[in-house]
Amino acid sequence: MTTVAVPQVPARLGRFVLSMFRPHVYATYGLLWVLALESSAVAATGAAWRPSGATWLRVVSVVLALLFLRMLDEQKDLAYDRVHHPARPLVTGAITTAELRGAMALITALVTGLNAALSAMAALLILAALAYGLFLALLERLSPAVRDRQLLNLAVTYPVQVLLGAYVYGSLVAAGTVPADRRGPLLLALCAGVFLHFEFARKTAWEAPPGARLYSADLGPRRSAAVTAACAAVAAGCELLLAPRGPLTLLPCLAALLPAWGARRFLTAGRGAWPVPLAMGFIVATYLALVVRAVLLP
């Protein structure tokens, strides 16, 4: 059995992060997500919002949690990747399961320590998200239906995103920054609409290659496109319900023009896949607009 010298492990993990986590994508998503959720929660109360030290701690925690989940996905998808993605690092041996698990243990300790400085509630909520990810890995191993049926898999895996959103909102409540009221579920629904729009968009196409895990393979292209557009509509509706009164009320809703354009392009083409860059643009435009609106409010 070959071993890897300890000094090489950080370099191997670094290459894994750059190739499979893509910090410019995942870290940007985590940053915008936390800033949009926190700023909207505070702005909805009528208070002024500015990022604080606790804000950046939440950003770091969410990004690290996303990295933890990405490392976990690499392990639970190993059998599928051996067939469909033979160049993945875990398949080729560029990284090992032991190295990924060691990094995950370090991430768990780090986010626990960081959030204990905020509150016990914050630490428990972030740990709940990581624990649910581990539960999902076990569930997929035990249940072929959960592993192989796309819609069922989404139904049981998406709650980890809800738990991360609940961590951000719950830590604000625990700190006394915002009250626990109906705005919390609305904010989580808004974030769900934004994320699920992208999730369905990237797995919606007119043709499904053999073995491809596409929602359109189960729903059909038109129904999958309808769900994709509906998710964006849910996000826009939640934005209106949460928006403080004023000239900036509709600013985030302008981002809904991107999924509308994407739906038109997909349905009129009758071939190919949903234009994923437009779905990514919807995430960025929505979250940026929410942050800008919160900052500009008096």
Side-chain angles (χ1 to χ4, degrees):
M1 182 178 67
T2 59
T3 58
V4 178
V6 172
Q8 295 179 15
V9 174
R12 288 161 64 87
L13 286 170
R15 287 191 291 270
F16 172 85
V17 170
L18 290 175
S19 64
M20 301 308 302
F21 187 67
R22 292 176 295 171
H24 65 287
V25 175
Y26 285 88
T28 300
Y29 170 70
L31 170 68
L32 292 176
W33 183 18
V34 173
L35 293 182
L37 205 163
E38 180 180 311
S39 64
S40 298
V42 174
T45 68
W49 174 83
R50 293 294 183 274
S52 63
T55 304
W56 303 120
L57 191 151
R58 294 182 186 103
V59 170
V60 170
S61 296
V62 167
V63 171
L64 287 175
L66 293 174
L67 176 57
F68 177 100
L69 296 170
R70 185 67 201 83
M71 290 176 167
L72 185 60
D73 282 345
E74 192 72 7
Q75 296 169 68
K76 70 183 180 65
D77 293 341
L78 180 58
Y80 179 85
D81 289 341
R82 283 194 175 112
V83 176
H84 298 281
H85 302 110
R88 290 280 176 91
L90 195 56
V91 178
T92 64
I95 197 75
T96 68
T97 298
E99 290 163 358
L100 290 178
R101 290 177 179 175
M104 289 164 63
L106 181 61
I107 289 171
T108 302
L110 184 56
V111 297
T112 302
L114 287 173
N115 285 280
L118 282 181
S119 66
M121 178 62 72
L124 289 173
L125 287 171
I126 194 71
L127 285 176
L130 302 185
Y132 189 78
L134 294 171
F135 164 73
L136 287 175
L138 177 62
L139 184 62
E140 289 192 21
R141 183 179 301 174
L142 298 176
S143 172
V146 170
R147 183 176 61 248
D148 299 329
R149 293 169 57 185
Q150 277 294 96
L151 293 173
L152 177 60
N153 184 268
L154 178 63
V156 298
T157 58
Y158 180 69
V160 74
Q161 290 270 338
V162 176
L163 287 170
L164 286 175
Y167 152 72
V168 176
Y169 187 79
S171 65
L172 289 168
V173 172
T177 306
V178 301
D181 56 24
R182 70 176 186 85
R183 286 172 288 210
L186 277 174
L187 278 167
L188 295 182
L190 189 163
C191 294
V194 171
F195 174 82
L196 290 174
H197 169 75
F198 173 75
E199 173 66 13
F200 272 88
R202 74 188 184 95
K203 295 182 179 180
T204 294
W206 286 99
E207 302 87 20
R213 295 177 175 178
L214 300 179
Y215 299 118
S216 51
D218 295 331
L219 295 172
R222 292 185 182 277
R223 281 192 292 177
S224 188
V227 173
T228 305
C231 290
V234 167
C238 291
E239 289 162 9
L240 288 174
L241 291 172
L242 286 162
R245 301 297 179 186
L248 298 174
T249 296
L250 297 178
L251 179 62
C253 296
L254 295 176
L257 295 173
L258 293 173
W261 184 17
R264 183 179 182 278
R265 284 182 57 182
F266 179 78
L267 293 172
T268 55
R271 59 184 175 81
W274 187 286
V276 173
L278 290 178
M280 295 177 66
F282 178 64
I283 293 178
V284 174
T286 299
Y287 285 161
L288 273 179
L290 288 170
V291 174
V292 168
R293 184 174 69 183
V295 170
L296 294 181
L297 283 172

